[in-house]
Structure formats: C-alpha cells, structure tokens
C-alpha cells in the first residue's frame, strides 16, 4: 500500500515534507572505477575501448568493427515489422514537427546610443548520444535525443550503444537511421563516454554528450563535463496526477502504473480533492497490478514510493504539486487549462482525460527527457536549445563609444582594471583629437 | 615573450594543437574539505556558518547580523561618489534593456491530428548569487548576474558576499540595490554555497546558484548541483583578436592586456594576416606593460599563455578562432560583419575598431559571464534563460488520441512497457464502445 495522506491531518506537513525529501535511489559509488576507465581510454585509446568491451560486453571488436556498417544497419532495419516501422515513423515526424518550432531567432538592433547589439545561435558541431543496451534500450529515447540535435543543425551525430554478446535491438538502429544519426558504435559504459569526450584513433571526439545510462555512464558524464557539454543526469521517473471526482479510476490507475513499471525507484503520486476517487484508484491499482508482466517492479515502486493525497480543493492540489515539481504532471480535471495556470514547476503537463502520459513518451511531440528529482524547480526537458549556443554581438560606432565609453572607463577604475579603462580611453582620445581638428 | 606562430610553418599544426590543449589552471583539490564543510552546514546550520565565517573571514556574526540591514546598505551606498553611481546606473539600465529582449515567448498550437501542443516558461522561484570578497569583488558582476534573474521574474534574489574582517565594497551593495536584490548575506566560501543550497534556520534555501568564486566555491557548486541548479564553472578569462593591417597597434595591445590583467592564467591571442602588425602589437604590449599597475599579473599571463599567430588570410584566421572557441572575440577588420558570418564558436563577438572588449564588461548590454576554456563549443553566456525553465504542454482530444494513440500503444509494446500501452488502450476502448453505440 502506498502512503495515504490527507491535508487536514494535523501531521500532514511533516509527512509531506518527508515525502519531498525521500531518498529513492542508492546510486553505487563507482567514481573511482570510472576515473580509472577514463584515464585508460585517454592513454591507450582504441586498445582500451576494445579490451573493456571484451570484458564488460563479452564482444570482440576491432577498430574496423567498432561502428556498424551501412549494410549491417540496413539488414537489422529490415527485421522491423511494417507496423513497428510505421509507428516509429509517425513518432519521428511528430517529434520533429514539435522541435522545429523551438528554433530560436537571431536578433540584432541598434539602440538609442547608436550601439548595434544582438545575438546569434549556432549549433554544436558534433554530438554523441548514449543509448543503453539490454532492458532499457528504448528506440523512443533515440528519437527524443537525436531529433532535437538534427533540428538544431548538428553536423555530426553519433550513437554509442553497447551490444552485450553482440545482441542488438533492430528498432534502435531504425530509430537512429530515421533520426539522421551518422554513425552507431557498438560500445557502452564509461569507456564509451570517455571515447566520445576525448576521441581515439577511430572515434572522433564530440562536443556534447546526451542520453540516459547506468551509474557508470552517469559518473563518466559528470567527470567529462567541462571537456564536453552534457545533458542532465536523469533520476528515476515520476508522475503526479491531479484528479477531481469525475474520473475513471481505472484510467488514473494505469497512468500511475505506467510510471511505476519503469523502475522500482519510480514514484507515482495521486492528488485529489475527492476521498472517494482516492479509494477507488487505490483499488484499481491493486486490481491492475495483478495483471501486469512487470508487477514486481511496478508493485515495489507503488508500495515504497507511491502516495495518495486528499486535498481540501484543487487550488491546494496545485500548490502541493508545485512543491513536488514533478517530472510528469497530469491534470485530469474538468477545467485543466485553468488549473495549468496555477502550475509553476513541472517538466511536462498533460491536460485532460484524453492525454495519458504515455502519449508524451512516444508520439505526442514534446520531449520525454525531462527533469526528475524535483529539478523542474530550476531546469527544463531536453530541447533544440541543448544543441545550440548563443554568441552575443556588440558593435559600437565612434558616437556610441563617446556616449557610453566614459562610464565603462569609470567602472574599470573602480575595479582597479587599468588596461580595461585605457582600452576605452585610447579610442576616446582619438575621437577628441579628431573632433578638435 | 608570447608564442609567435605562423600558419605556413611546417610545425604549425602541432604547435597550435598544443596551444589548444594547454593547461592554464592548476586548481587545488579542495573537494574533501568542501565535502566536510557542506556536511557541517547541513547538520548544524547557522552555528556552522557562524563558526566558519569566524575562522575564514575573521568576522563574528549572529543569526541577526548575517544579512545587511536596510540601514546598513543605505549607509554604504551613500559612500559611493555621484560619478560612480551614475556609471553604475547607466550600466544597469543598458544591461536590463539588453536582457529584456531575451525573454522567450510561450507557444501553443493545434496540429493536424487535433492535438493541442506547446510550452510555457516560468521563472525559478529563488536564486542566490555568489559575489567574491576582496580583489575580485566586482560590482559589474553583481549587475550581470542579478539583472537577468530579475528580468526573468525570479521572486526572491539573494547575494552571498564574504566581508573579510568586516570590509565591504560599497559599490557591490549599490549594484545589488540597483539590480533589485532582496537580501545580502555577509557570508562566503563553501559554507555560503551550502547554506544557499540546503538552507539554515536563518537562510532560506534557493533553487539556483550563480556567480564566480574561488576553488572552494567552485567545488561546492559542483557538489550541490542537482540539489539546486548552478551556472557554469568559470575558468580564467580569454580574448582572441582577429586584426587586419589597418589597426592602431596600441589599441590592440590594450585590448589584449585588458584580459591579461585579470589573472596570471588569463589568455590573450592575436591572430592577424599581417606580420608587420603582429610585430607592432608585440612591441606595443611591451611598452604598455611597463606602465600598468598590474604589470606583474598581465606580464605573466602574456608571457606564459599569450600567442601571436600570423595567417595566410582572414578566412584562415576565422577557422583557427573557431577551433579555439574563445570567450571574447574581437574582429578588428575592415568588414567585421562579413567575418562574423564565418564564426561558429565564440562566447561574445565585438565588431570593429570602436568596440573594445572592455565595453562589454561594463556597459555594452550583453552579459559578461561567458563560456571559458573552449566551452563556447557547446555552451552560452549567462542570460535570462538561466533563470527560466520550460514546461511542455500536451492536450489530446478523443479524435487526436484515436489518430495517434495506436502508434503509442505499438511502441509501448515493443519496449515491453505494458501499462503504458494499457493506459492508451483503455481510453481507445471507451471511444470504440461509444462510437459503436
């Protein structure tokens, strides 16, 4: 049974605070191992990557076989059923259409002082996408990472995906091809992150690395951050559903379970102003749990981290949701647009009864890589912006420099940065001499 | 003497590669000390902060005196000369005007399938700005960090600034007041970062921490990352100047020195297609160096990390600059707009002879917090976006779900995520039943 809280309970505040600070993940400390692997790949390059792949993935590679050939990719893609292919193509098209709208504009203007100012966006030159092997090898995540990169204009996009014992998911390769990935490497773990960040004789280094991974991959990404850009370090998935009384408890139960089935550390929370619905959803979850193949995982998540909160009204529900800052937020209420106006912190909002969160995982269009562990308080989901950077632009005319240069000179002096001031003064002196001629 | 390279030299490629990978900073490993300080502040709160401030800053605080009172701030601000105040006000107004243009728009649209999609931007609720004490206590940096936060709509903005022995820079307090900072704490170091991230009885926690600091502050920011958002970890400053023959060598020399004077680890690089100008600038730097108060710092930077590169033409200069991805790039050439089109990686571009980089440090308008150490390959300067986050929005109609739901169901099955598929299927079944009535 999950926690069952009611906001009118005298000890609700303490219980809710405990829910917020609950530790859901006990990440093993693999940092020393990862540091050794990165140092090894930096020193020995391909040879280290090949040895580590042999050891961890039971796979013998040569520099030539590190990447899938075009023929190998085509052969794997041919194994995909027409139905799966059509679904993946629909998803790719919708994700692309959504992310194309995210492309920001360059700006340039001249202000009252005569200064021409602005900024320009340019893409990262090369990006590497990590795709886990095995159970968590999701073709949808390939689309969600690769499409924003290509929309941004990334020239060279590579994937690293371990293939333990040589096993590969054809849908992952098809997703990579649909998204425009240039090269897919059969490597994984910290050694793949090190190779992407520092390069080897065979693998050219990239500028940005994104994508999910296990504790070794996460530790390696933290370590190479600065050398390359990285996306967020994702934690276990979360959903918070705000529901009023007019809901089918079974739908809500399935939405909660669709997060819980990801991971024993996932968290599903129902917040409702109707105690009757709360009870009905709990019963529906129990009933559905019996039928799920992944009931052990989903059941553990629901039992250990699930929560049902009954509030006085929906305003209170929104306020509590903002304190959680959930990764996914469903608003299953009569007027979801009005309630959405009250939401200040959430990774993604799904409005109304006909928008199960699973739609957003695959075909909605928005990205499914979203901030977890309350980080929606200060960060956003993956987007085209993650593969772009902004260069600011300034151009002074002599008149503009005459107007604002003296203030710069004054501030430089106040900060004891003499050459700063002189670089302005030398130009102002020229203007004064020429003005006096 | 700085390095002097010519692209036609047979060993240029190796020398340039060495320049790119040159290690300029030997950051002391203070991580264990910082971990201890953070744990102490988490456990003992105010008491730990007060003890550490006594030890490191020789300053006795009480919970009541941790923050400057309104009266204390007013008294310090009154010490600022009218000229300095006017310069700071001009800078604040120009920085605000520039950053107001960065505010992104919310979007919402309905696509062909009938799905309503979009996103909304919301500000971080509370931000903390670290301001170093002593030599590097720059009022301009207070403006550059605080103004984007206020423009973004951050509700609560606090500053932590150590005041060793009680010494405070009145311009820092005035800059904080001009920028709309709510509270200024007299604390610094890792203990200040810990207090801002985790909160104490007196100091409320924030969601995002920005601003420069020493090795302890940088290590603390890395450690609290995830609990709160942080900005980049800034390295020593850099400038690259591309200049053609028609330049005053003294101006270029001062522009190079205005980076070199920041720090012995700063780097100033001249790239020119004119060997004569290169020689003249080197001579001008030597002459100006004699006159600078900070000649020891600027001289060490120029000698150890400075470089002068003579290229075949300006196209080659732009190509080399893109490999450096400099923090600051000056284009002192006849047609700077055309050359700027070739620039793909740079934190900030300053166009033409009348735009010394120092203008951008103070009054230009763009932010002076910029990516260092080649990170302009994948990241941007500080902006309003650093204090905003995007929530994606999706709303399906029954018709939209009928159109795209089956593809989601199919992909969920291919990823063995049964509840995901069922959450879509339950709704589709209802539609089918109702459609059949």
């Amino acid at each position: 049974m999950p926690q069952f809280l009611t906001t009118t309970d005298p000890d609700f505040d303490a219980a809710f605070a405990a829910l917020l600070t609950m530790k859901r993940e006990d990440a093993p400390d693999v940092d020393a191992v990862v540091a050794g692997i990165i140092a090894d790949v930096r020193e020995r390059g391909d040879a280290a990557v090949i040895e580590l792949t042999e050891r961890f993935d039971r796979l013998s590679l040569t520099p030539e076989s590190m990447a899938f050939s075009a023929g190998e990719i085509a052969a794997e893609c041919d194994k995909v059923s027409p139905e799966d292919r059509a679904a993946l193509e629909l998803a790719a098209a919708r994700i692309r259409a959504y992310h194309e709208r995210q492309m920001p504009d360059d700006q340039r203007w001249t202000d009252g002082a005569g200064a021409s100012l602005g900024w320009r966006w340019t893409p990262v030159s090369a990006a590497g996408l990590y795709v886990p092997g095995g159970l968590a090898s999701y073709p949808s995540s390939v689309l969600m990472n690769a499409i924003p990169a290509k929309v941004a204009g990334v020239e060279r996009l590579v994937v690293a995906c371990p293939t333990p014992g040589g096993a590969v998911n054809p849908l992952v390769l098809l997703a990579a091809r649909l998204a425009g990935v240039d090269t897919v490497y059969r490597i994984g773990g910290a050694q793949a992150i090190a190779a992407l960040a520092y390069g080897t004789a065979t693998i050219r280094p990239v500028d940005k690395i994104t994508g999910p991974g296990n504790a070794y991959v996460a530790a390696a990404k933290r370590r190479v951050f600065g050398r390359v850009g990285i996306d967020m370090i994702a934690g276990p998935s979360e959903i918070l559903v705000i529901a009023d009384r007019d809901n089918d408890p079974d739908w809500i139960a399935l939405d909660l379970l669709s997060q819980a089935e990801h991971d024993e550390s996932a968290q599903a929370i129902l917040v409702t102003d109707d105690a009757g619905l709360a009870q009905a959803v709990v019963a529906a979850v129990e009933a559905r749990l019996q039928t799920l193949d992944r009931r052990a995982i989903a059941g553990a998540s629901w039992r250990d981290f699930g929560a049902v909160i009954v509030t006085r009204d929906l305003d209170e529900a929104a306020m509590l949701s903002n304190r959680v800052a959930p990764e996914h937020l469903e608003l299953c209420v009569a007027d979801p647009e009005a309630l959405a106006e009250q939401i200040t912190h959430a990774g993604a909002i799904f409005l109304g009864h006909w928008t199960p969160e699973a739609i957003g995982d695959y075909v909605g269009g928005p990205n499914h890589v979203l901030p977890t562990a309350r980080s929606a308080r200060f960060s956003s989901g993956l987007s085209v912006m993650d593969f772009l950077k902004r260069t600011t632009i300034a151009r002074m005319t002599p008149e503009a420099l005459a107007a604002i240069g003296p203030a710069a000179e004054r501030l430089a002096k106040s900060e004891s940065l003499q050459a700063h001031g002189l670089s302005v003064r030398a130009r102002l002196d020229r203007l004064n001499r020429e003005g006096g001629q």
Side-chain angles (χ1 to χ4, degrees), chain A:
Chain A
M1 281 291 293
Q3 284 196 66
F4 201 104
L5 309 176
T6 304
T7 56
T8 51
D9 276 355
D11 37 3
F12 173 77
D13 286 346
F16 186 72
L19 185 70
L20 286 183
T21 53
M22 189 174 234
K23 194 169 162 61
R24 279 154 52 207
E25 224 185 0
D26 230 355
D29 187 3
V30 297
D31 199 49
V33 176
V34 164
I37 290 173
I38 294 174
D40 192 20
V41 172
R42 287 186 71 174
E43 196 181 312
R44 298 195 300 130
D46 283 344
V49 172
I50 288 170
E51 272 181 39
L52 291 161
T53 303
E54 178 93 47
R55 189 189 319 162
F56 294 123
D57 296 340
R58 307 170 310 284
L59 183 70
S60 292
L61 293 178
T62 61
E64 292 69 36
S65 65
M66 270 193 199
F68 283 89
S69 70
E72 287 168 332
I73 291 178
E76 290 293 331
C77 289
D78 283 346
K79 297 178 185 169
V80 176
S81 73
E83 294 78 13
D84 281 349
R85 177 185 296 261
L88 215 50
E89 282 171 352
L90 177 74
R94 292 188 56 85
I95 296 164
R96 190 174 294 115
Y98 182 92
H99 286 79
E100 278 170 352
R101 292 190 179 241
Q102 289 181 331
M103 278 298 285
D105 291 326
D106 295 348
Q107 298 284 342
R108 190 79 183 264
W109 67 91
T110 302
D111 71 13
S116 170
L117 302 173
W119 61 79
R120 278 172 49 203
W121 293 95
T122 47
V124 165
S125 294
L129 161 55
Y130 190 86
V131 178
L135 197 65
S137 176
Y138 295 143
S140 58
S141 291
V142 176
L143 298 181
M144 292 291 181
N145 280 269
I147 290 174
K150 291 312 278 188
V151 169
V154 171
E155 243 178 75
R156 188 165 61 85
L157 179 59
V158 306
V159 160
C161 178
T163 59
V168 58
N169 180 349
L171 276 163
V172 162
L173 290 179
L174 179 59
R177 198 167 71 173
L178 286 177
V181 169
D182 298 292
T183 310
V184 181
Y185 293 107
R186 290 178 170 95
I187 60 173
Q191 60 273 22
I193 302 297
L196 290 175
Y198 290 98
T200 68
T202 304
I203 298 169
R204 286 166 61 197
V206 301
D207 302 302
K208 177 117 187 181
I209 299 176
T210 70
N214 64 16
Y216 292 86
V217 171
K221 282 170 67 180
R222 271 188 192 273
R223 281 207 161 254
V224 301
F225 173 55
R227 166 79 190 196
V228 298
I230 63 168
D231 61 344
M232 67 201 83
I233 307 283
S237 195
E238 310 143 6
I239 191 170
L240 190 149
V241 178
I242 300 181
D244 59 19
R245 62 176 300 168
D246 294 323
N247 272 284
D248 185 329
D250 185 50
W251 294 9
I252 305 289
L254 287 168
D255 296 353
L256 294 168
L257 287 169
S258 70
Q259 292 309 300
E261 74 176 342
H262 268 296
D263 190 332
E264 293 185 2
S265 307
Q267 183 166 49
I269 300 175
L270 169 66
V271 184
T272 177
D273 59 351
D274 188 82
L277 183 85
Q279 298 292 357
V281 169
V282 169
V285 168
E286 295 304 326
R288 281 288 189 177
L289 259 177
Q290 310 306 318
T291 72
L292 293 182
D293 296 337
R294 295 169 77 115
R295 58 182 166 272
I297 293 171
S301 158
W302 181 239
R303 180 186 69 232
D304 296 341
F305 303 115
V308 175
I309 304 176
V310 178
T311 61
R312 292 175 181 85
D313 52 35
L314 292 178
D315 293 348
E316 193 178 40
M319 186 271 285
L320 294 179
S321 176
N322 287 336
R323 287 182 62 192
V324 173
E327 181 190 12
H328 304 100
L329 172 62
E330 278 189 17
L331 302 181
C332 299
V333 297
D335 188 352
E337 303 284 349
L339 195 58
E341 291 297 314
Q342 297 186 50
I343 300 303
T344 53
H345 309 309
I349 306 181
F350 303 86
L351 292 99
H353 304 293
W354 298 97
T355 321
E357 184 277 327
I359 281 291
D361 282 339
Y362 297 111
V363 295
N367 211 288
H368 79 196
V369 181
L370 292 165
T372 56
R374 306 190 61 219
S375 62
R377 291 175 298 126
F378 54 80
S379 63
S380 310
L382 197 71
S383 79
V384 166
M385 313 290 277
D386 289 284
F387 299 97
L388 295 167
K389 59 267 184 337
R390 187 188 46 246
T391 300
T392 61
I393 292 174
R395 181 175 192 171
M396 300 296 132
T397 56
E399 296 69 32
L401 191 70
I404 69 174
E409 190 186 14
R410 177 112 213 150
L411 291 171
K413 279 184 186 157
S414 82
E415 295 183 355
S416 304
L417 293 173
Q418 191 183 4
H420 284 65
L422 287 171
S423 72
V424 176
R425 174 48 49 196
R427 288 162 167 97
L428 293 177
D429 283 347
R430 166 87 58 93
L431 284 178
N432 289 336
R433 282 198 306 276
E434 290 177 354
Q437 282 172 350

